[in-house]
Amino acid sequence: MKNISDIAKLAGVSKSTVSRYLNDGSVSKKTRLKLSKIINEHDYQPNQFAQSLRATQTHLIGAIIPRMNSYAVDETIKGIVSQCHQHHYQLLLNYTGLQIEAEIDAIETLSRSKVDAIILMATDITESHLEVIDKADVPIIIVGQNYPGLHSITHDDYQAGLSVGNWIGQRQPHHVHFFSVTENDIAVGIHRKNGLLDGLASHQIKPSIFETSFKYENALEDVQQYLSQIDKVDVLVGATDAIALAIHKYSFNSERNCKPTIIHGFGGDPMTQIVSPSIRTIQFNYFEAGKRAMTEVRQLIKNEKTEESVVIPVKL
Amino acid sequence: MKNISDIAKLAGVSKSTVSRYLNDGSVSKKTRLKLSKIINEHDYQPNQFAQSLRATQTHLIGAIIPRMNSYAVDETIKGIVSQCHQHHYQLLLNYTGLQIEAEIDAIETLSRSKVDAIILMATDITESHLEVIDKADVPIIIVGQNYPGLHSITHDDYQAGLSVGNWIGQRQPHHVHFFSVTENDIAVGIHRKNGLLDGLASHQIKPSIFETSFKYENALEDVQQYLSQIDKVDVLVGATDAIALAIHKYSFNSERNCKPTIIHGFGGDPMTQIVSPSIRTIQFNYFEAGKRAMTEVRQLIKNEKTEESVVIPVKL
DNA sequence: CTGTTAGCGCATTCAA
DNA sequence: TTGAATGCGCTAACAG
């Protein structure tokens, strides 16, 4: 692989001229043309490591994702990527497979890799998270959860819940059951639930609530166990689309004859439209959240102050 | 951030001793203890860029993925990640959103980033691919497709097709329809199809074949148009699980009364089990393919010769 | 507009 | 076992 000196020699100029040509551009037309030609001929590419070694910026953004085959993650990353392209950042993806420890590791590794910033799509912020985040002297932004003292992008879960609650309430159902998740997850387990309850309450409806898991398989078991004891259902709501899909699976099982008129989820996962009958869901602006994460990140890199917590409105 | 000289000074030794401590280890016990302590105290981490600048290896593997919310991609990446961890490689993921041009770009960017190797999960190898691959002096391995002259990991699509064909044949169905894809995709469009046809043929069954798209939305339209003209269906086969899901969606639409007894897909996507009635599918060893890709890659990096084309057997 | 020089942080000679 | 010196490829002062 050729380096800058080779090009300089070939062009009969000094390294600095080549460097200047590559960066500022304060170079005479003649040499510019000459260099342009030579660089193309040899398709020379400056060595990123040498560049990064000198510069403080690496133009690398690290993103930590808990899983991959998820509509939410996919859309968010798309949003991030779109901005990366535009601003010439490279995205360094780090996949954790939903394991907390891997998340911590990833933060360390990425900050060692001198990424300019880290975008963390976390499910849950633990003590260990805070420790590493504190140590790593890299701007970090959390997407999907917020935490006092950390920069974050979240969706308006309360609003989403409220909207769904109202929509359901208007239909005057008698038997509403809500499958929620742990309150450890502030966004989903608390805000979303509260929104839903308030929405329903404004129509004098009080659903029964049952707590289950984020994981489809576990949710399926729970739903099965719970619903087998219930004989009247009008509306079944899952706190996430995955849970709604589990509800659907059990409800439209051939053995089961008490079927709900409506199943509702949260998230806008296309899968809700693939099953029959389809599941009603509410769209979050994942793509927008990804884009916004990048603009925040760029602010942070430039050391400009930004709002600590950004809330993305839901699609209504 | 501290650097190697800082540590050296603090320990009262020279930089080279610190470096040696970090690498070989030919250091006296005394200084080793001293260094160990100091390095921990200041949680010093050697600068990766400086290391990479000197070394030829960067311990970076680039992976190019066409999309994210896909079971196949997810599982394959899991396999890759598992090996990366074990051998201390960092994975640099590059997401292309199914766009050929982005794929080409990614290859260039990654080779500029001096990754030690590239794993490409391609859908289709075009002329442009070959050009960049040729130029980039980085070992590249293709997962999911093979191409003469390129290293690749593929699944045994013919075997999968054959197995499915036999399974279906044993049930002696009368009306079998197969929704295939373009023959540009050698693996799916040709091998998988041929396997299926041969398997069915051994039971004297000749299905009608219709070519559709990989994309769910397009497949749904095609399926709709095609099936609306057909009044007898026993078994409907999609060349991929996504296509099978489209078939399912249309077939179990309430308006439709001619329903198939079996829908069959390829890939083992969990979604096939979530819909009701569930879709039969066949598992590919995606995880294994990912792992294998890494072992091949490591061979290539070491410049050891490997088989050009590795075929992963399907799960039967 | 251009060249010389120095240094980013590290690993590796070569002597001691 | 240790230290001094050198260079990986690049950019930024500085001087011309």
Side-chain angles (χ1 to χ4, degrees):
Chain A
M1 191 50 104
K2 304 238 165 296
N3 63 27
I4 198 170
S5 317
D6 296 329
I7 302 298
K9 255 178 233 156
L10 286 167
V13 296
S14 77
K15 295 191 300 178
S16 20
T17 306
V18 181
S19 175
R20 238 175 275 118
Y21 168 79
L22 257 21
N23 301 290
D24 315 307
S26 175
V27 182
S28 76
K29 223 168 206 166
K30 256 190 199 166
T31 47
R32 199 176 313 167
L33 287 172
K34 210 191 306 175
L35 281 171
S36 149
K37 197 180 139 202
I38 295 183
I39 287 177
N40 272 322
E41 263 171 19
H42 299 260
D43 53 58
Y44 159 74
Q45 302 282 100
N47 180 314
Q48 279 199 333
F49 294 102
Q51 287 180 321
S52 300
L53 182 56
R54 295 222 75 234
T56 39
Q57 304 242 346
T58 60
H59 272 253
L60 248 40
I61 300 285
I64 300 174
I65 57 179
R67 48 185 172 173
M68 302 197 55
N69 58 348
S70 140
Y71 174 68
V73 173
D74 188 34
E75 287 296 306
T76 311
I77 293 291
K78 276 183 193 162
I80 295 174
V81 166
S82 75
Q83 295 303 296
C84 278
H85 250 254
Q86 220 166 99
H87 301 285
H88 302 103
Y89 277 98
Q90 259 256 84
L91 190 60
L92 209 96
L93 271 182
N94 235 291
Y95 172 68
T96 64
L98 275 172
Q99 305 201 300
I100 298 271
E101 208 188 319
E103 251 169 57
I104 309 292
D105 267 5
I107 297 178
E108 276 175 336
T109 327
L110 285 175
S111 83
R112 255 201 82 196
S113 294
K114 297 270 184 293
V115 294
D116 289 349
I118 294 178
I119 298 175
L120 174 60
M121 304 193 55
T123 46
D124 191 9
I125 310 289
T126 68
E127 270 304 317
S128 331
H129 281 87
L130 296 177
E131 247 175 60
V132 219
I133 290 178
D134 190 54
K135 263 192 191 170
D137 54 350
V138 185
I140 296 191
I141 192 162
I142 319 282
V143 177
Q145 293 286 334
N146 81 356
Y147 199 95
L150 301 182
H151 289 271
S152 67
I153 312 277
T154 49
H155 298 277
D156 194 342
D157 273 291
Y158 180 82
Q159 183 57 46
L162 194 66
S163 158
V164 170
N166 273 322
W167 188 87
I168 293 173
Q170 279 163 16
R171 273 142 193 86
Q172 308 279 359
H174 291 282
H175 308 284
V176 180
H177 299 265
F178 178 49
F179 294 84
S180 191
V181 297
T182 169
E183 299 203 337
N184 284 345
D185 189 312
I186 316 280
V188 183
I190 298 184
H191 295 157
R192 196 177 291 182
K193 178 172 74 182
N194 287 344
L196 181 75
L197 296 184
D198 289 354
L200 289 171
S202 70
H203 295 266
Q204 287 77 46
I205 298 176
K206 199 167 163 23
S208 33
I209 302 180
F210 184 76
E211 186 178 310
T212 180
S213 157
F214 274 103
K215 295 203 65 166
Y216 175 80
E217 290 79 12
N218 303 338
L220 188 55
E221 274 186 40
D222 289 346
V223 164
Q224 214 149 357
Q225 196 155 359
Y226 177 80
L227 284 184
S228 64
Q229 299 168 19
I230 308 278
D231 53 352
K232 295 195 174 170
V233 293
D234 287 339
V235 177
L236 298 178
V237 184
T240 69
D241 283 337
I243 296 174
L245 282 165
I247 297 171
H248 185 281
K249 176 70 177 175
Y250 175 68
S251 298
F252 293 97
N253 198 333
S254 50
E255 302 153 28
R256 173 105 182 142
N257 50 11
C258 159
K259 303 194 194 306
T261 45
I262 294 169
I263 294 179
H264 209 300
F266 285 83
D269 190 324
M271 273 317 305
T272 56
Q273 305 313 303
I274 289 180
V275 296
S276 321
S278 54
I279 294 170
R280 190 169 189 273
T281 186
I282 182 165
Q283 280 283 341
F284 288 109
N285 274 308
Y286 295 118
F287 188 86
E288 187 58 30
K291 275 174 67 175
R292 190 61 190 274
M294 274 302 294
T295 71
E296 292 299 306
V297 150
R298 294 198 308 125
Q299 301 268 337
L300 289 175
I301 292 174
K302 283 187 253 165
N303 251 317
E304 289 170 13
K305 39 189 164 305
T306 58
E307 304 165 60
E308 190 172 288
S309 170
V310 175
V311 176
I312 309 281
V314 294
K315 291 183 187 170
L316 292 183
Chain B
M1 192 50 107
K2 306 240 165 293
N3 63 27
I4 199 172
S5 319
D6 296 329
I7 302 298
K9 256 177 232 156
L10 286 166
V13 296
S14 77
K15 296 191 299 176
S16 13
T17 306
V18 181
S19 175
R20 238 176 276 118
Y21 167 79
L22 258 20
N23 301 290
D24 314 308
S26 174
V27 182
S28 77
K29 224 170 206 165
K30 256 191 201 164
T31 47
R32 201 177 312 169
L33 287 171
K34 208 191 312 174
L35 282 172
S36 151
K37 198 180 139 205
I38 294 185
I39 287 178
N40 272 323
E41 263 173 18
H42 299 261
D43 54 56
Y44 160 73
Q45 302 282 99
N47 181 313
Q48 280 199 333
F49 294 102
Q51 288 181 317
S52 300
L53 182 56
R54 293 220 75 233
T56 40
Q57 304 242 347
T58 59
H59 272 254
L60 248 40
I61 301 284
I64 301 174
I65 56 179
R67 48 184 173 174
M68 303 197 53
N69 58 348
S70 141
Y71 174 68
V73 172
D74 188 34
E75 287 296 307
T76 311
I77 293 293
K78 276 184 193 160
I80 294 175
V81 166
S82 75
Q83 295 303 296
C84 278
H85 249 256
Q86 220 165 98
H87 302 285
H88 302 104
Y89 277 98
Q90 258 255 85
L91 189 60
L92 224 143
L93 271 183
N94 235 292
Y95 171 69
T96 63
L98 275 173
Q99 304 201 300
I100 298 271
E101 210 188 319
E103 253 170 56
I104 309 292
D105 267 5
I107 298 178
E108 275 175 337
T109 327
L110 286 175
S111 82
R112 256 202 80 196
S113 294
K114 297 271 183 294
V115 295
D116 290 349
I118 295 178
I119 299 175
L120 174 60
M121 305 193 55
T123 46
D124 189 9
I125 310 288
T126 67
E127 269 304 316
S128 331
H129 280 86
L130 297 177
E131 248 174 59
V132 221
I133 290 177
D134 190 54
K135 265 192 190 170
D137 54 350
V138 184
I140 296 190
I141 192 162
I142 319 280
V143 178
Q145 292 286 334
N146 83 354
Y147 199 96
L150 301 182
H151 289 272
S152 67
I153 312 277
T154 49
H155 298 277
D156 194 342
D157 274 292
Y158 180 82
Q159 184 56 45
L162 194 65
S163 158
V164 170
N166 275 320
W167 187 88
I168 293 172
Q170 279 163 17
R171 272 139 194 89
Q172 308 278 0
H174 291 283
H175 307 284
V176 180
H177 300 265
F178 177 50
F179 293 84
S180 190
V181 298
T182 170
E183 299 203 335
N184 284 346
D185 190 312
I186 317 279
V188 183
I190 298 183
H191 295 155
R192 196 176 291 181
K193 179 172 73 180
N194 287 344
L196 181 76
L197 295 185
D198 289 354
L200 289 171
S202 69
H203 296 266
Q204 287 77 47
I205 297 174
K206 198 165 166 17
S208 32
I209 303 179
F210 184 76
E211 185 178 310
T212 181
S213 157
F214 275 102
K215 296 204 65 165
Y216 175 81
E217 289 78 12
N218 302 338
L220 188 55
E221 273 186 41
D222 288 348
V223 164
Q224 214 150 357
Q225 197 156 0
Y226 177 80
L227 284 182
S228 64
Q229 299 168 17
I230 308 277
D231 53 352
K232 293 196 175 169
V233 293
D234 288 339
V235 177
L236 297 178
V237 183
T240 70
D241 282 338
I243 296 174
L245 282 164
I247 296 171
H248 184 282
K249 177 69 177 174
Y250 176 68
S251 298
F252 293 97
N253 198 332
S254 50
E255 301 152 29
R256 172 106 182 142
N257 51 10
C258 159
K259 302 194 194 305
T261 46
I262 294 168
I263 295 180
H264 209 300
F266 285 83
D269 191 322
M271 273 315 307
T272 55
Q273 305 312 304
I274 288 180
V275 295
S276 320
S278 55
I279 293 170
R280 190 169 190 273
T281 185
I282 183 166
Q283 281 282 343
F284 287 109
N285 275 308
Y286 294 118
F287 189 85
E288 185 59 31
K291 276 175 65 175
R292 190 60 191 273
M294 274 303 294
T295 72
E296 292 299 306
V297 150
R298 294 197 309 124
Q299 301 267 339
L300 288 176
I301 290 173
K302 283 189 252 164
N303 251 319
E304 288 169 14
K305 40 190 163 303
T306 57
E307 305 165 60
E308 189 171 290
S309 171
V310 175
V311 176
I312 309 281
V314 294
K315 292 183 186 169
L316 289 182

